[in-house]
Amino acid sequence: MTSVSVPEILWAQRSSEDEPEKIYDFKLDFFEEIDVEASKQHQTSKSLYLVLRKKEVKLDYWPRLTKEKIRLHNVKTDFDKWVDEDEQTGDLDDIAGGLGGMGGSEYLR
């Protein structure tokens, strides 16, 4: 079953002056290793989607995304893609419906 979500929309108006180019940078020290070769990315004009495959496949979920137990204010849970451990059935690729079939263990957007 396909679910349609309505995105949050932020609107503002300003003069037609050119905006300066923005550069984004971040680093995440993941809880365990990521299999870079099996991971995928999909970039649109507004977003970069990453499907990161865990290097060591386990039934148990990670207790958190990062090695250190710190609060990252810019990282939020995407509940549209989240599946609880006790509810997970079938192929992980089914979870990634909104990413054009890109399956994985961890999603970053």
Side-chain angles (χ1 to χ4, degrees):
M1 176 176 189
T2 303
S3 173
V4 177
S5 299
V6 178
E8 178 180 82
I9 299 172
L10 301 175
W11 182 83
Q13 187 170 202
R14 44 176 86 191
S15 69
S16 60
E17 291 181 32
D18 290 336
E19 289 188 36
E21 182 179 325
K22 291 182 182 178
I23 297 174
Y24 294 93
D25 183 39
F26 70 94
K27 180 183 178 197
L28 291 174
D29 191 15
F30 293 109
F31 186 76
E32 290 181 7
E33 287 186 73
I34 299 294
D35 184 348
V36 176
E37 296 297 320
S39 297
K40 299 178 183 181
Q41 71 176 25
H42 176 72
Q43 186 169 356
T44 67
S45 61
K46 299 192 181 231
S47 298
L48 172 64
Y49 294 88
L50 301 174
V51 178
L52 304 175
R53 297 276 188 175
K54 297 173 182 175
K55 190 159 207 148
E56 189 176 331
V57 179
K58 297 179 186 175
L59 184 60
D60 296 335
Y61 278 26
W62 289 351
R64 61 187 169 275
L65 182 63
T66 59
K67 261 190 204 298
E68 299 209 18
K69 196 172 187 176
I70 56 173
R71 171 77 171 129
L72 300 170
H73 296 284
N74 63 321
V75 177
K76 296 180 171 59
T77 302
D78 186 349
F79 288 106
D80 289 338
K81 304 242 182 305
W82 188 270
V83 177
D84 288 332
E85 283 181 272
D86 59 345
E87 295 176 351
Q88 183 170 312
T89 60
D91 189 11
L92 287 176
D93 290 336
D94 295 339
I95 300 168
L99 297 178
M102 294 168 44
S105 302
E106 299 296 326
Y107 294 89
L108 294 180
R109 178 174 72 182

